[in-house]
Amino acid sequence: MRTAIISHPHCRKHKMIDDHPECPERLDAIADRLLASGLDIAVQQKQAPKAQREHYLLAHDEALVNHVERTLPLEGLVSLDGDTWLCPDSQKAVERAVGAGLLAVDEILADNLDAAFCSVRPPGHHATRATSAGFCVYNNLAIAVKYAQSKGVKRIAIVDFDVHHGNGTQDIFIDDDSVLFCSLFQYPFYPNTAVENNATLVNSPLPIASDGSDLKALYEQQWLPKLSVFQPELIFISAGFDAHLEDDMASLKFVEDDYAWLTEQLATLSKQLGCKGIISYLEGGYALSALGRSAIAHVKALVDS
Ligand SMILES: [Zn+2]
């Protein structure tokens, strides 16, 4: 598939407290692995444009946007929620993290691309309509979904394979039956969302030590039937890689081949259903080597599909 990686140097400028796992080096690990793999010649690399305030408001209450703007420090760091910090340059990162998804939507709807991976930070899937949380300022993916809806896309599926539940994304779309949200997560675990399901909400909790075979069973039994019937026009992925065996943030046992397998399944499904494309957003992933290997396995599966 015609695939782009969308990023921006400003996404490195967002810094949190020393030794925080959500660090700028995460993006370096992905960029370095891209070069080492030789995949860089097969993907387009695009710079994320700046998002505007009106875009944040597509998915968030104005009170949250006001709060973030007022909280941005002139120097030093301030805490938004206890584990999410802002530095003086955080806004520069945030506007590109959101902008990456807007560009991805524009390029796919213009039929210039089939797939895009937004290699950006801060991540987004814990940000609800009203709150920043869990290293996330705004819900980048949710904003891109709302933007795609504003461009006329009727049915959108979101698949979230980060080890943590995408509670922010669930919060934003829970009353929208034109968006199917499928989320796997270690359970019980942060953010300790009550597990609920409805016609367009498929939550798939996994016990500690679940591995690739559990992922395959989950996809085939829980997600594939729902996705096939729902017939999305566009597929979004919250691509967190913190369920990796080497990632100490959690206790699942996925490896890069599992991420490649799931990505291939989604790419095949996208083609079968005649979807316009796949837009994937980096969420978690904190073991730097495993993150780089997994993210590039994910992108390679998009390219090769
Ligand atoms: Zn996570």
Side-chain angles (χ1 to χ4, degrees):
M1 298 199 293
R2 297 167 299 169
T3 304
I5 294 182
I6 306 176
S7 190
H8 195 282
H10 285 358
C11 291
R12 292 190 87 271
K13 294 185 178 223
H14 170 61
K15 296 198 170 74
M16 303 209 279
I17 51 174
D18 287 349
D19 300 323
H20 196 292
E22 206 292 279
C23 60
E25 289 76 16
R26 299 176 62 232
L27 299 184
D28 302 337
I30 296 170
D32 291 350
R33 186 68 191 175
L34 176 67
L35 285 176
S37 69
L39 193 66
D40 56 312
I41 57 167
V43 293
Q44 301 176 43
Q45 296 187 59
K46 294 183 178 291
Q47 295 239 318
K50 258 169 98 163
Q52 306 295 326
R53 194 173 199 277
E54 69 197 62
H55 298 124
Y56 314 142
L57 295 172
L58 290 170
H60 295 289
D61 294 342
E62 187 155 27
L64 173 63
V65 179
N66 291 341
H67 176 62
V68 170
E69 287 171 351
R70 278 199 299 261
T71 306
L72 279 166
L74 293 173
E75 57 183 38
L77 300 172
V78 284
S79 171
L80 269 174
D81 82 326
D83 57 11
T84 312
W85 301 76
L86 294 177
C87 73
D89 283 332
S90 291
Q91 182 68 17
K92 290 182 177 163
V94 163
E95 58 197 17
R96 303 294 174 164
V98 172
L102 306 178
L103 177 63
V105 170
D106 283 341
E107 290 289 297
I108 284 178
L109 295 188
D111 197 24
N112 294 328
L113 283 178
D114 302 306
F117 176 64
C118 301
S119 188
V120 295
R121 52 183 294 278
H125 74 152
H126 295 308
T128 68
R129 176 164 282 282
T131 54
S132 303
F135 316 164
C136 305
V137 178
Y138 297 134
N139 195 316
N140 311 314
L141 179 146
I143 293 168
V145 168
K146 292 276 192 183
Y147 180 72
Q149 290 178 320
S150 79
K151 299 289 176 183
V153 181
K154 296 274 187 277
R155 290 185 314 285
I156 294 174
I158 306 169
V159 169
D160 185 329
F161 60 69
D162 188 279
V163 79
H164 303 94
H165 182 236
N167 62 305
T169 309
Q170 174 176 304
D171 172 75
I172 291 166
F173 294 109
I174 191 145
D175 294 324
D176 185 345
D177 62 9
S178 73
V179 175
L180 172 65
F181 182 48
C182 300
S183 182
L184 69 80
F185 47 95
Q186 181 176 317
Y187 184 80
F189 201 42
Y190 179 91
N192 301 307
T193 323
V195 180
E196 58 177 313
N197 291 297
N198 64 34
T200 54
L201 176 61
V202 184
N203 278 313
S204 303
L206 286 169
I208 283 174
S210 297
D211 63 11
S213 62
D214 300 304
L215 171 68
K216 287 173 186 164
L218 180 162
Y219 178 75
E220 287 166 355
Q221 293 165 18
Q222 298 180 41
W223 291 3
L224 179 58
K226 276 282 190 184
L227 289 162
S228 300
V229 169
F230 185 75
Q231 300 217 326
E233 295 171 57
L234 200 52
I235 296 174
F236 282 75
I237 302 175
S238 262
F241 299 99
D242 41 8
H244 195 284
L245 176 67
E246 294 171 24
D247 201 310
D248 293 336
M249 184 67 77
S251 307
L252 297 194
K253 295 184 170 180
F254 296 176
V255 295
E256 40 274 44
D257 281 353
D258 300 321
Y259 294 115
W261 179 86
L262 180 58
T263 309
E264 288 162 11
Q265 300 302 306
L266 293 169
T268 300
L269 184 69
S270 171
K271 287 185 177 176
Q272 284 171 353
L273 298 177
C275 293
K276 298 176 194 300
I278 297 178
I279 296 171
S280 175
Y281 249 110
L282 178 64
E283 300 285 0
Y286 306 100
L288 295 180
S289 174
L291 170 63
R293 297 184 335 256
S294 301
I296 295 310
H298 171 61
V299 174
K300 186 172 189 306
L302 294 172
V303 170
D304 290 347
S305 290

PDB file of all heavy atoms in Angstrom, residues 58-70:
ATOM      1  N   LEU A  58     -12.904  19.989  17.951  1.00  0.00           N
ATOM      2  CA  LEU A  58     -13.701  18.949  17.311  1.00  0.00           C
ATOM      3  C   LEU A  58     -13.997  17.811  18.288  1.00  0.00           C
ATOM      4  O   LEU A  58     -15.032  17.161  18.211  1.00  0.00           O
ATOM      5  CB  LEU A  58     -12.966  18.378  16.086  1.00  0.00           C
ATOM      6  CG  LEU A  58     -12.830  19.293  14.865  1.00  0.00           C
ATOM      7  CD1 LEU A  58     -11.867  18.676  13.849  1.00  0.00           C
ATOM      8  CD2 LEU A  58     -14.184  19.533  14.221  1.00  0.00           C
ATOM      9  N   ALA A  59     -13.043  17.556  19.207  1.00  0.00           N
ATOM     10  CA  ALA A  59     -13.201  16.398  20.112  1.00  0.00           C
ATOM     11  C   ALA A  59     -13.181  16.775  21.587  1.00  0.00           C
ATOM     12  O   ALA A  59     -13.401  15.904  22.431  1.00  0.00           O
ATOM     13  CB  ALA A  59     -12.099  15.371  19.837  1.00  0.00           C
ATOM     14  N   HIS A  60     -12.891  18.041  21.881  1.00  0.00           N
ATOM     15  CA  HIS A  60     -12.715  18.414  23.289  1.00  0.00           C
ATOM     16  C   HIS A  60     -13.564  19.630  23.664  1.00  0.00           C
ATOM     17  O   HIS A  60     -13.835  20.497  22.834  1.00  0.00           O
ATOM     18  CB  HIS A  60     -11.236  18.721  23.580  1.00  0.00           C
ATOM     19  CG  HIS A  60     -10.367  17.521  23.436  1.00  0.00           C
ATOM     20  ND1 HIS A  60     -10.390  16.479  24.335  1.00  0.00           N
ATOM     21  CD2 HIS A  60      -9.463  17.162  22.492  1.00  0.00           C
ATOM     22  CE1 HIS A  60      -9.537  15.545  23.945  1.00  0.00           C
ATOM     23  NE2 HIS A  60      -8.963  15.927  22.821  1.00  0.00           N
ATOM     24  N   ASP A  61     -13.904  19.667  24.953  1.00  0.00           N
ATOM     25  CA  ASP A  61     -14.608  20.831  25.490  1.00  0.00           C
ATOM     26  C   ASP A  61     -13.682  22.050  25.455  1.00  0.00           C
ATOM     27  O   ASP A  61     -12.469  21.929  25.688  1.00  0.00           O
ATOM     28  CB  ASP A  61     -15.007  20.577  26.947  1.00  0.00           C
ATOM     29  CG  ASP A  61     -16.036  19.465  27.072  1.00  0.00           C
ATOM     30  OD1 ASP A  61     -16.691  19.137  26.061  1.00  0.00           O
ATOM     31  OD2 ASP A  61     -16.158  18.921  28.187  1.00  0.00           O
ATOM     32  N   GLU A  62     -14.271  23.204  25.229  1.00  0.00           N
ATOM     33  CA  GLU A  62     -13.451  24.419  25.205  1.00  0.00           C
ATOM     34  C   GLU A  62     -12.771  24.638  26.559  1.00  0.00           C
ATOM     35  O   GLU A  62     -11.665  25.182  26.616  1.00  0.00           O
ATOM     36  CB  GLU A  62     -14.296  25.630  24.826  1.00  0.00           C
ATOM     37  CG  GLU A  62     -13.459  26.885  24.625  1.00  0.00           C
ATOM     38  CD  GLU A  62     -14.110  27.904  23.712  1.00  0.00           C
ATOM     39  OE1 GLU A  62     -15.357  27.911  23.634  1.00  0.00           O
ATOM     40  OE2 GLU A  62     -13.368  28.690  23.085  1.00  0.00           O
ATOM     41  N   ALA A  63     -13.416  24.191  27.637  1.00  0.00           N
ATOM     42  CA  ALA A  63     -12.809  24.358  28.964  1.00  0.00           C
ATOM     43  C   ALA A  63     -11.474  23.630  29.059  1.00  0.00           C
ATOM     44  O   ALA A  63     -10.535  24.115  29.704  1.00  0.00           O
ATOM     45  CB  ALA A  63     -13.769  23.839  30.040  1.00  0.00           C
ATOM     46  N   LEU A  64     -11.355  22.460  28.419  1.00  0.00           N
ATOM     47  CA  LEU A  64     -10.078  21.747  28.449  1.00  0.00           C
ATOM     48  C   LEU A  64      -9.021  22.505  27.645  1.00  0.00           C
ATOM     49  O   LEU A  64      -7.876  22.651  28.094  1.00  0.00           O
ATOM     50  CB  LEU A  64     -10.229  20.317  27.905  1.00  0.00           C
ATOM     51  CG  LEU A  64      -8.900  19.557  27.756  1.00  0.00           C
ATOM     52  CD1 LEU A  64      -8.221  19.357  29.107  1.00  0.00           C
ATOM     53  CD2 LEU A  64      -9.082  18.223  27.048  1.00  0.00           C
ATOM     54  N   VAL A  65      -9.392  22.969  26.464  1.00  0.00           N
ATOM     55  CA  VAL A  65      -8.429  23.704  25.630  1.00  0.00           C
ATOM     56  C   VAL A  65      -7.959  24.957  26.374  1.00  0.00           C
ATOM     57  O   VAL A  65      -6.761  25.266  26.414  1.00  0.00           O
ATOM     58  CB  VAL A  65      -9.053  24.045  24.258  1.00  0.00           C
ATOM     59  CG1 VAL A  65      -8.073  24.838  23.400  1.00  0.00           C
ATOM     60  CG2 VAL A  65      -9.486  22.761  23.544  1.00  0.00           C
ATOM     61  N   ASN A  66      -8.892  25.652  26.997  1.00  0.00           N
ATOM     62  CA  ASN A  66      -8.521  26.829  27.803  1.00  0.00           C
ATOM     63  C   ASN A  66      -7.573  26.438  28.928  1.00  0.00           C
ATOM     64  O   ASN A  66      -6.587  27.133  29.206  1.00  0.00           O
ATOM     65  CB  ASN A  66      -9.767  27.482  28.414  1.00  0.00           C
ATOM     66  CG  ASN A  66     -10.640  28.144  27.367  1.00  0.00           C
ATOM     67  OD1 ASN A  66     -10.185  28.432  26.263  1.00  0.00           O
ATOM     68  ND2 ASN A  66     -11.904  28.376  27.712  1.00  0.00           N
ATOM     69  N   HIS A  67      -7.871  25.326  29.589  1.00  0.00           N
ATOM     70  CA  HIS A  67      -7.062  24.868  30.721  1.00  0.00           C
ATOM     71  C   HIS A  67      -5.632  24.545  30.272  1.00  0.00           C
ATOM     72  O   HIS A  67      -4.657  24.943  30.924  1.00  0.00           O
ATOM     73  CB  HIS A  67      -7.723  23.644  31.363  1.00  0.00           C
ATOM     74  CG  HIS A  67      -6.942  23.041  32.476  1.00  0.00           C
ATOM     75  ND1 HIS A  67      -6.637  23.718  33.640  1.00  0.00           N
ATOM     76  CD2 HIS A  67      -6.376  21.812  32.610  1.00  0.00           C
ATOM     77  CE1 HIS A  67      -5.925  22.934  34.434  1.00  0.00           C
ATOM     78  NE2 HIS A  67      -5.753  21.782  33.832  1.00  0.00           N
ATOM     79  N   VAL A  68      -5.514  23.823  29.148  1.00  0.00           N
ATOM     80  CA  VAL A  68      -4.174  23.488  28.637  1.00  0.00           C
ATOM     81  C   VAL A  68      -3.419  24.764  28.295  1.00  0.00           C
ATOM     82  O   VAL A  68      -2.251  24.930  28.662  1.00  0.00           O
ATOM     83  CB  VAL A  68      -4.281  22.543  27.410  1.00  0.00           C
ATOM     84  CG1 VAL A  68      -2.925  22.386  26.726  1.00  0.00           C
ATOM     85  CG2 VAL A  68      -4.831  21.177  27.829  1.00  0.00           C
ATOM     86  N   GLU A  69      -4.085  25.680  27.616  1.00  0.00           N
ATOM     87  CA  GLU A  69      -3.405  26.929  27.201  1.00  0.00           C
ATOM     88  C   GLU A  69      -2.951  27.738  28.416  1.00  0.00           C
ATOM     89  O   GLU A  69      -1.854  28.294  28.430  1.00  0.00           O
ATOM     90  CB  GLU A  69      -4.350  27.762  26.327  1.00  0.00           C
ATOM     91  CG  GLU A  69      -4.531  27.165  24.941  1.00  0.00           C
ATOM     92  CD  GLU A  69      -5.621  27.850  24.116  1.00  0.00           C
ATOM     93  OE1 GLU A  69      -6.374  28.683  24.677  1.00  0.00           O
ATOM     94  OE2 GLU A  69      -5.725  27.538  22.926  1.00  0.00           O
ATOM     95  N   ARG A  70      -3.798  27.774  29.428  1.00  0.00           N
ATOM     96  CA  ARG A  70      -3.450  28.548  30.632  1.00  0.00           C
ATOM     97  C   ARG A  70      -2.376  27.861  31.466  1.00  0.00           C
ATOM     98  O   ARG A  70      -1.650  28.524  32.204  1.00  0.00           O
ATOM     99  CB  ARG A  70      -4.707  28.753  31.500  1.00  0.00           C
ATOM    100  CG  ARG A  70      -5.592  29.891  31.046  1.00  0.00           C
ATOM    101  CD  ARG A  70      -6.531  30.332  32.157  1.00  0.00           C
ATOM    102  NE  ARG A  70      -7.419  29.268  32.565  1.00  0.00           N
ATOM    103  CZ  ARG A  70      -8.682  29.146  32.154  1.00  0.00           C
ATOM    104  NH1 ARG A  70      -9.199  30.047  31.333  1.00  0.00           N
ATOM    105  NH2 ARG A  70      -9.427  28.149  32.548  1.00  0.00           N
TER     106      ARG A  70
END
